[in-house]
Amino acid sequence: MAEFKSSATDSGAVESVPTQAFDVVVIGGGPAGMAAALAAHKAGARVAIVEREQHLGGILRQCIHPGFGLSHFKQELTGPEYAQRFIDQVHATDIVLFLNSMVIGIDSGECASGADESAEDGVTHTVTLMSRDGMLQLTGCAVVLAMGCRERTRSEIKIPGSRPAGVFTAGLAQRYINIENLKPGSRAVILGSGDIGLIMARRCTLEGISVEGVYELMPYANGLRRNVKNCLDDFGIPLHLSTTVTRVIGHDRVEAVEVSQVDEHLAPIPGTERIVPCDTLLLSVGLIPENELSVGASVELDPRTRGAVVDQSLQTGVPGIFACGNVLHVHDLADNVTTESERAGAAAAAYALGTGAGAVPDCELTVSPAGVAGYAQPGRITTVALTKLNFRVRRPVNAACVRILADGEELFVDKVRAFKPSVMESFPLPAKVIQHALDLGASEIILSVDPVEEA
């Protein structure tokens, strides 16, 4: 039994906290967590999943629209159907579930006497969680972070005006409609053209809620093209680009919003203001990886993605802690989350069981974006091997190419093609290119997406 010193320690009281030991502890029971747990279990690890909700499935439980599974299952599924396939697989194993449990901290230390010392460096991690049954500590040689992401709120984008009822994030409105069977309003304006905002424009319309329009700050839609067509065009919902909400009007309930066009610097243009009557404002203004636990565990974050800096095995800078899914970087497709998370789970199991090759890094290279590339993952290269680099561009370009640079020298150039911010791109970095960078004595590889003038 581990000892946990609470605030009662001042009076000499020490509480004893139950402890359970595993090889791999996965935090998060959504698509990323389940895929990682199943991969770790397949590799022979003793696995636990900690999930704060009472059900596995994560955000997919409320995503009742189709479009999932086309890559992974070669079928078009709804979110709940996609999640259920993994839930069934988890229940068919001896993976231990801790539902309705909130993780409050991750601590690292030397392996205790009698603990599994197969992990490199003899480090064990302690995950402390709280549930209705009290406090519990789970120990593991590896931890997989799969907490997903959260939505930006009104306070983070600082919309002026009063603070009436009727302002929701798009995901919250989706939960109200699809799970709670609650109607958020009757006449809605949607700010932001991310995928969830586009999908909710259609969902509201199907539920009899009038959608006055989708307003997007940027001069282009931020969601996938298929969602613009299927959710807006097919339902006659207008998309207003280079336009934003500049004021919320109402006392007890939203009565209207003021919208304004913006210039090339994204600043509202005086004189373009107009009032749009509505009783509901839905915000689809971006997602942020849920990394408070990561910071508490001393995991380094990438300021561009606000997710962890990882190497090719998806291991963070803290040995034995891995990250995958939307907590690492925001994905466009759940299928991509699954593929990435399976890699993280397998790597975590290999680390915990001491079966992984490359325990000692072959090299240490950082990966940085340039040109119109907004970020690049993984942020570190520690092995000379074929590496899949994921990235997004910061703005749409009709013609651009990926260039790999090191120490001022161009090592690789890909073909010219179009790029969109809504699509997560991937690029296979050959082992010989990594070796070339090392031969040059470089400490950094640059992934640059450079626009090309069309002839």
Side-chain angles (χ1 to χ4, degrees):
M1 302 283 278
E3 288 189 345
F4 176 78
K5 295 184 178 180
S6 72
S7 57
T9 303
D10 295 337
S11 60
V14 177
E15 298 176 13
S16 185
V17 179
T19 300
Q20 295 188 33
F22 298 90
D23 296 316
V24 178
V25 178
V26 179
I27 303 175
M34 289 190 292
L38 287 166
H41 179 270
K42 184 178 180 180
R46 294 167 297 161
V47 183
I49 297 176
V50 185
E51 167 58 44
R52 65 186 175 190
E53 299 290 338
Q54 62 179 326
H55 304 285
L56 293 175
I59 196 68
L60 293 187
R61 295 181 57 245
Q62 66 188 53
C63 300
I64 65 174
H65 52 277
F68 300 88
L70 292 170
S71 172
H72 193 76
F73 292 112
K74 311 303 180 187
Q75 291 179 264
E76 186 173 38
L77 306 171
T78 65
E81 289 172 336
Y82 186 87
Q84 192 62 47
R85 295 203 175 190
F86 289 97
I87 293 171
D88 292 342
Q89 291 179 46
V90 169
H91 285 160
T93 70
D94 60 358
I95 294 172
V96 180
L97 304 179
F98 296 91
L99 304 178
N100 274 324
S101 300
M102 177 70 73
V103 174
I104 59 176
I106 305 170
D107 298 296
S108 303
E110 298 299 317
C111 278
S113 175
D116 185 353
E117 297 183 4
S118 57
E120 294 122 23
D121 301 326
V123 174
T124 188
H125 302 285
T126 301
V127 176
T128 303
L129 58 92
M130 285 291 293
S131 71
R132 291 179 179 176
D133 297 325
M135 183 175 288
L136 178 65
Q137 290 184 331
L138 310 181
T139 61
C141 294
V143 173
V144 179
L145 305 174
M147 295 88 71
C149 57
R150 61 178 173 83
E151 296 177 278
R152 290 182 189 273
T153 62
R154 176 184 176 181
S155 63
E156 290 175 294
I157 59 173
K158 298 178 173 59
I159 302 176
S162 55
R163 302 183 62 82
V167 180
F168 307 90
T169 61
L172 178 59
Q174 183 183 56
R175 180 182 179 89
Y176 280 166
I177 293 174
N178 294 346
I179 293 183
E180 309 293 345
N181 196 31
L182 298 173
K183 185 179 179 182
S186 300
R187 191 175 186 183
V189 163
I190 298 177
L191 176 61
S193 61
D195 288 314
I196 181 65
L198 301 176
I199 289 165
M200 282 308 296
R202 175 179 64 185
R203 190 76 184 105
C204 287
T205 300
L206 292 173
E207 290 297 323
I209 301 170
S210 173
V211 178
E212 300 302 304
V214 175
Y215 295 84
E216 171 56 52
L217 177 71
M218 305 304 291
Y220 52 83
N222 271 306
L224 295 172
R225 175 56 200 160
R226 74 181 190 193
N227 284 333
V228 174
K229 179 185 183 303
N230 295 342
C231 300
L232 299 189
D233 296 349
D234 289 357
F235 287 84
I237 300 170
L239 172 61
H240 304 274
L241 301 176
S242 297
T243 309
T244 191
V245 173
T246 47
R247 186 161 56 103
V248 176
I249 303 168
H251 186 261
D252 294 328
R253 177 81 190 194
V254 173
E255 299 172 5
V257 295
E258 177 190 84
V259 299
S260 303
Q261 296 177 21
V262 299
D263 58 23
E264 63 272 18
H265 303 295
L266 307 183
I269 301 173
T272 63
E273 305 91 346
R274 62 187 180 90
I275 303 300
V276 180
C278 62
D279 63 8
T280 305
L281 174 62
L282 302 188
L283 304 178
S284 176
V285 290
L287 302 168
I288 302 171
E290 193 83 74
N291 268 304
E292 287 73 16
L293 284 174
S294 309
V295 172
S298 301
V299 171
E300 178 190 359
L301 300 187
D302 183 336
R304 302 177 188 90
T305 61
R306 297 176 72 169
V309 177
V310 297
D311 62 16
Q312 291 128 302
S313 68
L314 301 173
Q315 184 173 213
T316 70
V318 179
I321 297 184
F322 298 77
C324 59
N326 284 343
V327 79
L328 179 60
H329 59 127
V330 177
H331 293 61
D332 48 359
L333 301 174
D335 298 65
N336 292 337
V337 168
T338 297
T339 301
E340 179 178 274
S341 302
E342 288 174 338
R343 288 174 47 221
Y351 178 92
L353 300 174
T355 59
V360 178
D362 298 335
C363 58
E364 186 64 50
L365 292 168
T366 59
V367 180
S368 301
V372 297
Y375 72 85
Q377 283 279 9
R380 296 166 49 234
I381 289 178
T382 56
T383 304
V384 181
L386 177 65
T387 300
K388 179 181 179 181
L389 296 179
N390 294 314
F391 67 95
R392 285 184 192 263
V393 293
R394 290 180 283 106
R395 61 178 176 83
V397 284
N398 292 325
C401 65
V402 174
R403 299 168 62 229
I404 302 297
L405 311 168
D407 203 28
E409 183 174 328
E410 185 177 87
L411 307 185
F412 192 89
V413 182
D414 200 14
K415 63 182 180 181
V416 176
R417 60 188 181 90
F419 294 89
K420 294 181 179 179
S422 58
V423 178
M424 188 183 77
E425 305 281 354
S426 63
F427 176 81
L429 183 65
K432 64 181 182 180
V433 175
I434 297 174
Q435 187 59 57
H436 190 175
L438 294 172
D439 293 342
L440 292 173
S443 60
E444 178 185 45
I445 284 180
I446 296 175
L447 182 150
S448 184
V449 181
D450 299 320
V452 175
E453 290 188 11
E454 297 180 275

